[in-house]
Amino acid sequence: MAAHLKKRVYEEFTKVVQQQHEDLSSKKLRLTKPSKSAALHVDLCKATSPADALQYLLQFARKPVEVESVEGVVRILLEHYYKENDASVRLKIASLLGLLSKTAGFSPDCIMDDAINTLQNEKSHQVLAQLLDTLLVIGTKLTDNPAVRMRLVDVACKHLTDSSHGVRNKCLQLIGCLGPVEKGVAKDVESQAAKDVQKIIGDHFNDQDPRVRTAAIKAMLQLHERGLKLQQAIYSQACKLLADDYEQVRSAAVQLIWVLSQLYPESIVPIPSSNEEIRLVDDAFGKICHMVSDGSWVVRVQAAKLLGSMQQVSSHFLEQTLDKKLMSDLRRKRTAHERAKELYSSGEFSSGRKWGDDAPKEEVDTGAVNLIESGACGAFVHGLEDEMYEVRIAAVEALCMLAQSSPSFAEKCLDFLVDMFNDEIEEVRLQSIHTMRKISHNITLREDQLDTVLAVLEDSSRDIREALHELLCCTNVSTKEGIHLALVELLKNLTKYPTDRESIWKCLKFLGSRHPTLVLPLVPELLSTHPFFDTPEPDMDDPAYIAVLVLIFNAAKSCPTMPALFSDHTFRHYAYLRDSLSHLVPPLRLPGRKLVSSPVSPNITPHEDPSQQFLHQSLERVYNLQHLDSQGIQELLEFTIRDLQRLGELQSELAGMADFTATYLQCQLLLIKALQEKLWNVAAPLYLKQNALASAAAKQILEETYKMEFMYSGVESSQVVIIHHMRLQAKALQLIVTARTTRGVEPLFGMCEKFLQEVDSFQRCFISELPHMQGSFVDKLLDLMPRLVTSKPSEVVKILQTTLRQSTFLHLPLPEQLHRATANIIEPTGESDNPLRFTSGLVVALDVDATLEHVQDPQGTVKVQVLYPDGQAQIIHPKPADFRNPGPGRHRLITQVYLSHTAWTEPCQIEVRLLLAYNSNRSKASAKMPKSTWSENLEALPQSENGIEGTIPFSKPVKVYIMPKPARR
Amino acid sequence: PVPCMPPGAGQDVGRSCILVSIAGKNVMLDCGMHMGYNDDRRFPDFSYITQNGRLTDFLDCVIISHFHLDHCGALPYFSEMVGYDGPIYMTHPTKAICPILLEDYRKITVDKKGEINFFTSQMIKDCMKKVVAVHLHQTVQVDEELEIKAYYAGHVLGAAMFQIKVGCESVVYTGDYNMTPDRHLGAAWIDKCRPDLLITESTYATTIRDSKRCRERDFLKKVHETVERGGKVLIPVFALGRAQELCILLETFWERMNLKAPIYFSTGLTEKANHYYKLFITWTNQKIRKTFVQRNMFEFKHIKAFDRAFADNPGPMVVFATPGMLHAGQSLQIFKKWAGNEKNMVIMPGYCVQGTVGHKILSGQRKLEMEGRQILEVKMQVEYMSFSAHADAKGIMQLIRQAEPRNVLLVHGEAKKMEFLKQKIEQEFHVSCFMPANGETTTIFTNPSIPVDISLGLLKRETALGLLPDVLKPQLMHGTLMMKDNSFRLLSPEQALKELGLAEHQLRFTCRVHIQDPRKEHETVLRVYNHLKGQDYSVQHLPDGSITVESILIQATAHSEDQGTKVLLVSWTYQDEELGSYLTSLLKKGLPPSSS
C-alpha cells in the first residue's frame, strides 16, 4: 500500500519530461500516403446523411494533411460543398478549407477563386461568416500580394451590408487585417471599395449590433498596428463610443482613443459647451480618466492601464488625477494627507486625537463645486479605492509609470502609494512597494510617511518585508530622526523575524552609505558610548549589534570624522566584521591602520585594473605558444590554470572570465595529455590504461564544454564556435579510442558517419566564423573532407588522429561581460541535527530557498535535485511562480520540494542541490538558424537527432536529515 | 405619469417609506421606523395611503431594501396590525437578519420600556411568512405586468437597490447604498437601465469624503499603538454592519502583523448575525469571496466571545461592545471600568446622539456625572473615527451617471442638503430632480414608448425595399395598425383584411385629358406611347389598344362630338398617386408634334 502511495505521490509531484516531438514525428511519417484525398472522397460519397458526412469530416480534421495533397483534398471538399444541402456540413467544410490553407508550405492562391465563388451563392449566414474567415486565413498567407488582398477586401466590403452580425463582424476583421496600409497603392487600384478603408470601417462605428461595433474598432486598431496612420477625424467618433451601452465596445473605444492620443498629441480639440480648446492628449487623458469610474471593471482595468503610458499629458492635468476636493456640509475640508503635511511642517507630530481635528473650515461656494468633473479629477483616487484588486494594481502600475517620468508628480503621489501599503490584498501591497522603489530616486520621504512605511515591516509575509528592505535601500530620508526611526523599526523586525537577518543588514548597509551626515550625530547614542565612563562591551554575535555596526561603518566610509567617536572594542569588532562579513563592511581608513585593499601605484591608470592586466598577460603568454606537446608547456598551462582559478576566487568581478578561460585551458590540457604520442605507440595489449585515460579525458572535456556553453551568461558566438570546436575534438578523440578498442568494423561505420555529419553541421552553423580558424582541427578536417567521405573507417580514424595532433591551439577571445551562473541554497541550512520525521509512503514538504545569479530563463532551466542515500535521485521542476526577480541578473527561488521514501531504520541525510538543465538543441548556435516550426525543424536540423539534454549541478549540495517512519498498522 | 409620495423619509432621515404608483400598479418601498420618536410618529402614517379601504387591495407589493430598522422597523405593525396580506419582497440575507433585529427592537420597547399595544413576537413571525426572498439580478414577476429586480447596493449585508418595471415604465429605488467598497462589502452597481425615475437616498448630499484608506490606517495605528503600550481599547459598536467591517479590519491586521493581544466581541445579537455573514459569502466583497475556500474571513481566528470577567484581566486587549453610543449596557460598564487609566483608549466609530455618554466625551467633557451622583473622571484617550457606509455626493452622482435616469427624486436626507444636490443634478445631467416632503405627492410625466408587434412577413418585405433598419433614422412603411385586446400589431393590408373579414376595396382615380388630334384613335395611342416611351418607366402597348405605364392604364377614345379631339382616359389606384398625377400633368401639356 505504501509503495503504491509513494508511486502516486511521485506521479503527482514530479513532472515527467515528455518526448512528444518524436511521437508526433513518427506519426507524421505514417501519414505520408498519397491516397488521403481519395479516401476522403470515398468517405464523403458513402455518407448517407448530413450527420454521417459531418462525422467523417470531423475525423478527417483530426489528422494533418501533407503539403502535396492539400490541393486535391480541397478540390474534393469543394465538389462536395456544392452538392451539400445541409448548412452544418457546409460550415464544417468551410472551416476545413481554412485549416487546410494554413498548412505550411502550401500556397493557397489556387483555391482563392473557388472560395470567393462559393461566397456568391451561399445563403446561410453562419457559413458565410465561416467562408470569410477562411478567406482571412488565405489572405494572411498571401500578404505580399496586394492584388489578392485588394480583391478580398472588395469581397468583404460587398458583404458588409449583410443582415447577420457574424458576417459583418468577419468582414470588418478581414478589412482590418488585409486593408491597404500604404496610401499609394490604394490609388492605382480601381476598386472604389478599397479606397478609403478607414471610412468604411468608421461607418460601422454606429452599427446597431454591439459586436459589430466592437469588431469595427478592433479592425481600426488592427490597421493601426499594421502601420496605417489613423485619421484624426475618428477621434470625435471614438469619444461618442465611450458612452456605449456595452462594455466590450467601451473597452475597445478606450484603446482607440489612447492610440489616437499617441498619434496626435499636440493637435487642438475644442471643449464642447465652451469656447476653449485643449491639446488632444489632454482631452483624451481626461476622457480615459473618466472611464476609471466606469460601471464595468474590465473597462476600468483597461483605462487604468492605459493611463500609465500617456506621458505627454500636461502636468496640470496629471496632478488633477490625485485631486479630490473634500467637503462636509458644504464646507471645504482638508484631506488627511494635507493635514498630515501641515502638522509636519508646523513642527508638531500628528496627533489626530482631537475630535473635530478634521472639522471643516471655510464655506464652499455652492456654484463652484463641480461634482462630476469633466477632466481627470481624482481618477487615481478612485482607481486606488476600487473594489476589484485588478483595477487597483493597474492603477498602481500606471502611477509608477507616470511618476517615473515626472518628478513633481512622484512627489505628489507618494501619499497615495504609502496608503496602498495597507491594502487588503498582498499582491497590491507588494506592487505598491515595488513601485515606490522604482520612483525612489525622485522622492524624499517625510517623517510621517516613513512612519507608515516602516509600520509594514511587521508584516508576516516575507515577500513584503523583503520588498520593503529593498525599498529602504534606495530611499532618501530627510532627517536624523528618520534614520533612527528606520533603525529602530528594522531592529524590531529583526527580533520578530530573525530569518530576515541578511536582508536587514544589507538594507542598513545602503541606508548608512546614503546618509553619512545623518548617521553621524546618532553614533554615540547607537554605540552607547559615554564621554567619561567605559560602557560594557556588547556581544559580538548579537545580530542587532552587527546591524548597528553595519550602519555605522558604511556611514563612516564617507565621513572621516566618525571613527574618532568609536571606542576601542569598536575597532576590534570592525576588524572581525571586515573579515567575516566583507560584503557588508567596507574598507575604512582608520587611524593607525593601513588601508588593506588598495595599494594604488601611480603608474597604473585607474580604469586599468591590475588584476585584469594580470589576466590578460597570462593569457597572452599561453596564446603565444603554437604547439603544446612539450613537457614545459604543459606545466605552464597547469600553472596558468591554477593562477586563473585563484584570481577568480580573489576578484569576484573577474570570476566569470577567469573561470571560463581556466576551464578552456583545462580542456586543452586534457586533450594534449590524451594525445601524447608516447602512449599511443604502446603495443596493443597495453592499450588498456591509455584507453581509460583517453576516454575519461574525452568525457570530461565534453562535460566541461557544456558547462562553458550553458553556465555563463554573456557568451557570444565567437566563444560558442570555439566551445563547439573543442567538443568536436573531444568527439574525435572518443571515436579514435573506440576504434582502437572495438573489434570488427560494423559499429565503426555508424560512428564515423555520425561524426562526419557533425562536422558538416558544425560547418553549416558557423560558416561565418570559419575564416578565423586557420590551421585549426576543423579547418584541416574540412580540407580533407572529400577524402574522408570516401575512405574506410580505419583510415578515417588514422587521419583524425594525425590532424588532432597537428592542429593548432585556438585562441579564446574574451567577451566584455561574462558571468558564471551561481546558486546558493539559503534554506535548508544543513545544520539541523533534528531529523525531519514523517510517515513512510506519505510526503513531507521541504522548504527550499535559494538565490540564483546570472541565470538566464531560470523558470525553464533550474531544477532541484534530491539524492537519497540509496542512490535514488529525483529531479523536481519548480513552478514558474516560485521564481522572484528582485533585481537584474538575480533571481530567488522559494519553493517546496516534496520528499517521500519507504521506511528507514534510522535517520539519514539526503542531498538537495540545484541543477541547470540544458538542451544542446536550444543552444546558442542553433538559435541563430531561422526560426521554424517543429515540423520543419525535424527535416531541417539533422543535429537535433543527437541533441543532448543534460544537467549541470551548479550549487553546493545541502544535506538534510530525514527519517521516514514506518506506517502504523 | 408616475405619481410618487413618501409617507416617510421625504426630506427627512428615518422611517423610510415611499409610495410609487406606476402604470396603475402601487408599490410601497421600505417600511421603516423613526429612531427619534416614541409615540405614533415613529411609524409612517399609513392612513395616507388609503383613507378607509384595505391596504391589500390598494398595494400590489412591498419592497424592503435592507435590514436597518429605519427601513424595515414598521413592517410587523404594517402587515399585522394595520393589515396587509400581499407579498413583501426582500433579499435572502435581509430576510434572515431582519427578524432578529425586529425581535430585539420589540424586546427593548416592550420589555424594557414597558410599552403596550406594540407588535408581538408572533406577529413578527407571521409577518416574515409573507416575505418572498429574491436573488441579486433575478427578475421577479409580481403579477403579469409588474416585475422587480434587485441590484447590489453595498451598505450592509444584503442591501439591495430595486428596479420596478411595468411595461416600459420603470423606477429604481436605491435604498441606502455605498459606492466605495469597504473591508467586507463591495460597491453598489447598477447597469445602464435608464429608468424613468431614480429614487435615491441623499444622506451625504453635501459631503465629499476622504479616501477610506487614511481612515483605516489611522484606526489601525491607534489601536496598534495602544495595544503595544499595554493599554486596553474599547470600541462601542452597534451589533450589525460597521461592527463586522471593523472586525475584519482588525482580524486581518492582527494576522498580517502577527499580533497576539486578544480581541473580544460582546456576545448576544452579534454572534447570531456573524453566523449569517458566514453564510452569505456571495454578498461580500471580492477578497472575502475569493479566499473563503481556504478560510472564511468571518470565522475569526483572533476574535473571541467576551465575558464580563475578562474586563478585569491584566494586559492589553481590544473589546467590541454594544451599544454604540455608550448610553447603556455592556459598553458603558466596560467604559466605567477602564476610564480611569490613561493607557486605555475608547474609539467611537460613529455618530452619537446628544445626551449620551458618547456625545459627552466626544465633545471633550472629562468629568462625567453618573447615576447616584458619582463623578467619573475620564483619563483614557477618546478617539473619533467615522466609518459610514453611505454614498457621498460624488457617489450619488456616479450612480446617476451609471443608471442614466430621466428623472431623479431625492429622499432620506435633510432638505437643505438636498437642495444643493438637486441643483447640481439638474445642472450636470440636465434631468429634472424632485425632493418631495413627507406626504407631498410628486407626479412625474413619462414619455412611454409603445411597443407594436410587426408581422415578420411585412418586416421582411419592407426591409427588402429599403435599407437595413437603422436605430437612428425613422423609416416609412406601409401597413395596417390593428388595435385589438390591448395589443398593437402592424400587419400587411391583405392580412388585416383577412383577419377582420372585410372585402378589399380599390380606390381608383380617373382623369380625362383632351387632346387635339385629328388622327385615328390607334394612331393617337401610338403617339402617346412614343411620347411616354422616353420616360424610364415600363411602358407597354397592349393589344386592346390601351397603354399601361407600370400599373396605370391609359385609353384613348374619340370625343363623341368632336372627332378631332381625342379623350385620354388615365386611371390609377391611389397607391400610385404620385406617378398618376405626374403622367396626367405630362399629358395635359399636350403631345409633341409628331415627326411622322
Side-chain angles (χ1 to χ4, degrees), chain B residues 59-303:
Chain B
L59 287 175
D60 288 282
C61 76
V62 173
I63 293 169
I64 303 293
S65 65
H66 64 281
F67 60 65
H68 277 156
L69 286 179
D70 59 337
H71 290 261
C72 70
L75 202 54
Y77 169 77
F78 164 76
S79 71
E80 305 309 307
M81 296 170 79
V82 180
Y84 168 75
D85 298 321
I88 302 168
Y89 290 95
M90 48 176 91
T91 61
H92 284 276
T94 310
K95 188 186 177 187
I97 298 173
C98 194
I100 311 176
L101 284 174
L102 285 173
E103 181 60 33
D104 190 57
Y105 174 45
R106 190 198 64 81
K107 255 191 220 157
I108 289 172
T109 338
V110 177
D111 300 353
K112 293 234 169 101
K113 295 186 184 152
E115 275 190 47
I116 43 164
N117 196 15
F118 204 72
F119 54 78
T120 60
S121 292
Q122 190 54 45
M123 282 181 183
I124 297 174
K125 278 180 199 151
D126 291 340
C127 167
M128 292 322 284
K129 278 180 196 152
K130 294 174 186 167
V131 170
V132 183
V134 297
H135 292 284
L136 274 188
H137 302 180
Q138 174 197 7
T139 305
V140 181
Q141 291 284 349
V142 176
D143 57 32
E144 268 169 23
E145 286 145 37
L146 176 63
E147 60 182 48
I148 60 172
K149 184 175 172 186
Y151 290 96
Y152 192 73
H155 190 62
V156 287
L157 190 77
M161 306 191 273
F162 281 90
Q163 184 192 33
I164 303 121
K165 196 170 171 188
V166 180
C168 57
E169 288 175 296
S170 62
V171 173
V172 169
Y173 173 61
T174 63
D176 291 356
Y177 63 99
N178 189 5
M179 293 299 283
T180 44
D182 62 29
R183 287 285 171 153
H184 72 308
L185 298 173
W189 179 85
I190 194 160
D191 55 17
K192 220 173 250 194
C193 53
R194 299 198 176 89
D196 291 302
L197 175 65
L198 176 81
I199 304 174
T200 171
E201 63 133 337
S202 51
T203 324
Y204 285 100
T206 55
T207 303
I208 300 175
R209 271 197 314 251
D210 201 355
S211 135
K212 56 157 187 157
R213 292 185 189 280
C214 298
R215 287 197 302 267
E216 284 176 3
R217 201 187 58 211
D218 268 6
F219 173 77
L220 292 173
K221 203 172 140 194
K222 281 167 188 167
V223 173
H224 190 189
E225 276 171 5
T226 313
V227 167
E228 272 201 336
R229 264 202 314 267
K232 298 177 168 64
V233 182
L234 171 66
I235 307 172
V237 285
F238 292 103
L240 285 163
R242 284 323 90 197
Q244 276 72 21
E245 185 190 349
L246 294 178
C247 279
I248 292 264
L249 195 58
L250 277 189
E251 165 87 9
T252 43
F253 186 72
W254 250 238
E255 185 101 11
R256 255 182 71 194
M257 298 302 185
N258 250 336
L259 297 180
K260 295 285 178 285
I263 308 175
Y264 296 114
F265 209 133
S266 65
T267 44
L269 202 56
T270 347
E271 230 170 355
K272 256 189 240 165
N274 271 350
H275 176 66
Y276 288 111
Y277 273 81
K278 260 181 239 171
L279 282 180
F280 294 107
I281 282 295
T282 46
W283 286 80
T284 55
N285 75 3
Q286 188 194 21
K287 154 106 178 164
I288 299 175
R289 266 182 289 143
K290 288 216 162 144
T291 53
F292 95 98
V293 184
Q294 285 101 44
R295 184 178 151 223
N296 192 328
M297 290 279 277
F298 289 102
E299 269 167 34
F300 300 120
K301 238 190 232 168
H302 301 271
I303 303 179

Side-chain angles (χ1 to χ4, degrees), chain B residues 384-445:
Chain B
Y384 172 73
M385 201 106 274
S386 148
F387 281 86
S388 171
H390 290 274
D392 63 357
K394 268 204 154 179
I396 296 171
M397 298 300 263
Q398 205 180 333
L399 186 88
I400 295 174
R401 187 160 74 98
Q402 271 185 20
E404 290 187 7
R406 294 191 187 86
N407 299 283
V408 178
L409 189 137
L410 302 177
V411 293
H412 200 276
E414 291 162 36
K416 208 184 83 203
K417 298 181 178 178
M418 282 183 180
E419 197 65 55
F420 165 78
L421 192 65
K422 172 174 148 64
Q423 180 204 334
K424 285 290 155 203
I425 290 171
E426 286 176 346
Q427 186 184 321
E428 280 172 35
F429 295 108
H430 310 290
V431 298
S432 40
C433 182
F434 306 90
M435 35 174 287
N438 278 349
E440 187 188 328
T441 304
T442 310
T443 307
I444 283 129
F445 291 94

Side-chain angles (χ1 to χ4, degrees), chain A residues 124-164:
Chain A
S124 158
H125 294 301
Q126 277 166 316
V127 182
L128 261 180
Q130 188 57 55
L131 280 171
L132 283 164
D133 196 46
T134 305
L135 285 181
L136 177 62
V137 172
I138 294 175
T140 39
K141 280 217 89 177
L142 299 170
T143 32
D144 28 345
N145 186 345
V148 169
R149 267 175 21 204
M150 206 49 67
R151 197 160 154 221
L152 289 175
V153 170
D154 264 352
V155 170
C157 287
K158 250 175 241 150
H159 286 274
L160 267 178
T161 48
D162 196 283
S163 61
S164 155

Side-chain angles (χ1 to χ4, degrees), chain A residues 245 290 293 295 327 329 336 353 355 369-370 372 384-385 389-390 419 422-423 459-460 496, chain B residues 183 189 192 194 206-211 213 217 222 256-257 286 362 383-384 401 417 424 428:
Chain A
D245 282 10
H290 205 56
S293 47
M327 114 189 141
D329 286 354
R353 283 191 189 120
W355 189 35
V369 180
N370 200 0
I372 290 220
L384 293 176
E385 268 187 44
Y389 82 94
E390 291 91 340
D419 279 349
N422 283 319
D423 196 273
D459 203 297
S460 57
K496 202 160 177 182
Chain B
R183 287 285 171 153
W189 179 85
K192 220 173 250 194
R194 299 198 176 89
T206 55
T207 303
I208 300 175
R209 271 197 314 251
D210 201 355
S211 135
R213 292 185 189 280
R217 201 187 58 211
K222 281 167 188 167
R256 255 182 71 194
M257 298 302 185
Q286 188 194 21
L362 276 181
E383 300 287 352
Y384 172 73
R401 187 160 74 98
K417 298 181 178 178
K424 285 290 155 203
E428 280 172 35

Side-chain angles (χ1 to χ4, degrees), chain A residues 222-288:
Chain A
Q222 179 78 33
L223 281 179
H224 163 74
E225 251 165 55
R226 291 177 48 224
L228 182 72
K229 186 159 187 188
L230 302 185
Q231 294 150 0
Q232 201 197 325
I234 303 171
Y235 183 70
S236 58
Q237 278 181 296
C239 289
K240 272 181 214 134
L241 288 173
L242 284 181
D244 201 278
D245 282 10
Y246 292 84
E247 64 174 25
Q248 70 267 42
V249 182
R250 293 199 300 267
S251 170
V254 168
Q255 264 178 306
L256 186 59
I257 286 198
W258 178 79
V259 165
L260 287 166
S261 79
Q262 302 296 308
L263 282 176
Y264 304 97
E266 298 302 331
S267 50
I268 300 294
V269 288
I271 305 175
S273 78
S274 83
N275 295 328
E276 286 171 69
E277 292 183 326
I278 49 171
R279 292 162 71 217
L280 191 140
V281 65
D282 289 342
D283 190 50
F285 187 76
K287 293 213 155 76
I288 297 180

